[in-house]
Amino acid sequence: DYSIYDAMEAGFDKVVFVIRKDLEKDFREIIGNRIEKVVEVAYAYQEVDDIPQAYRERFSGRTKPWGTGQAILAAREVLKEPFIVINADDFYGGEAFKKIGAFLRNVKENGEKAHWAMVGYHLKNTLTENGHVARGVCVEKDGVLDTIVERTHIEKREDGPAYTEDDGATWHALDEDTTVSMNLWGFTPDFVDALKKDFVSFLENDVPKNPLKAEYFLPFVVNDQIRDGKADVTVLKSADKWFGVTYKADKPVVMAALAEMMQNGTYPDPLWK
């Protein structure tokens, strides 16, 4: 709800919910019907069998969805304008939506090279007190993304944030102001075309190595497009604190933060009049 509110304040006028078809009835009753009263809503359905016909029988034992890249592909029929992508269970803050909205209003599509954007957060604003997190650490040059390196185990430690790749045997320090991606992206519709092309390659080359669990991750596609010179990605910075419920103990912290933002007038109470 807060993300939709912030997006609308930043000028966005349509919301696409990517859900499983078997959740549609409950989702509409709990969320969708409320949101439809304040903004245009569309639905897309991420299903495990939504892959080219030639691969359905080969991977018929698969039950796990195919990842964030396929989630965007599921919405391919309703993505006709520049759009942003977010995780539905994260809180990003209003500044992020304003910055990426301004970028998309001014982006030029020339057919030669795609121009996209992402919102980067200071690592220190995305950590939890209750365990480790996975973050996409951004390598950038002059405000443009060079690559994203996935670090799957980052913790707050006494001497500052650090990550491990060997279950804690060794730790590598990270600057607390390191830019990390929280999966808030701004794309033009040509990103969907890139996803379509790369998805077939993923099914052909990556899935056979791990047919039940291989995932088509959105940042991997972005990395490939940058590497091949087909796109550039502007890194927009947000100083807001990101909130998410990675651990059960995070929930009261997030609830208290949202309550405080309502009390200080950042958000109206109730959110929807």
Side-chain angles (χ1 to χ4, degrees), residues 1 4 15 17 19 23-38 41 43 88 272:
D1 284 58
I4 292 168
V15 176
F17 291 119
I19 62 173
L23 296 177
E24 182 174 16
K25 180 178 181 294
D26 289 343
F27 189 94
R28 285 181 182 268
E29 289 176 357
I30 297 168
I31 298 172
N33 293 344
R34 285 190 296 107
I35 302 304
E36 287 175 7
K37 295 175 183 176
V38 296
V41 167
Y43 289 87
W272 307 116

Side-chain angles (χ1 to χ4, degrees), residues 201-270:
S201 175
F202 163 78
L203 291 169
E204 189 66 38
N205 301 311
D206 294 72
V207 176
K209 301 171 189 173
N210 190 3
L212 298 182
K213 293 187 177 180
E215 290 192 59
Y216 189 50
F217 289 117
L218 187 156
F220 293 173
V221 181
V222 173
N223 274 343
D224 288 346
Q225 294 293 302
I226 293 172
R227 184 196 62 216
D228 295 342
K230 296 177 180 177
D232 55 48
V233 179
T234 299
V235 180
L236 308 168
K237 302 291 180 64
S238 174
D240 282 344
K241 184 168 176 55
W242 167 93
F243 291 104
V245 184
T246 307
Y247 299 94
K248 185 176 180 180
D250 293 332
K251 183 178 178 181
V253 176
V254 176
M255 291 175 68
L258 294 175
E260 182 179 349
M261 283 186 273
M262 283 192 156
Q263 289 169 5
N264 67 24
T266 303
Y267 294 100
D269 185 10

Side-chain angles (χ1 to χ4, degrees), residues 32-88:
N33 293 344
R34 285 190 296 107
I35 302 304
E36 287 175 7
K37 295 175 183 176
V38 296
V39 70
E40 180 185 350
V41 167
Y43 289 87
Y45 307 99
Q46 184 178 17
E47 301 295 339
V48 71
D49 62 354
D50 185 18
I51 60 177
Q53 184 70 39
Y55 297 96
R56 289 180 187 172
E57 187 171 339
R58 281 175 63 182
F59 306 129
S60 59
R62 174 90 176 207
T63 58
K64 182 182 177 66
W66 296 97
T68 49
Q70 194 223 7
I72 308 309
L73 268 183
R76 57 191 177 274
E77 298 302 325
V78 292
L79 294 176
K80 307 301 182 185
E81 314 88 1
F83 61 96
I84 60 172
V85 177
I86 66 169
N87 296 333

Side-chain angles (χ1 to χ4, degrees), residues 119-166:
V119 176
Y121 286 77
H122 298 293
L123 175 61
K124 64 185 178 185
N125 289 337
T126 73
L127 298 176
T128 175
E129 302 285 348
N130 300 305
H132 68 270
V133 296
R135 297 287 178 259
V137 176
C138 300
V139 179
E140 55 183 302
K141 295 178 181 177
D142 301 321
V144 177
L145 186 65
D146 184 65
T147 188
I148 292 181
V149 181
E150 295 294 328
R151 301 297 183 194
T152 58
H153 191 127
I154 303 176
E155 286 185 17
K156 262 187 178 181
R157 295 171 63 81
E158 287 186 8
D159 51 355
Y163 71 90
T164 180
E165 296 180 328
D166 53 14

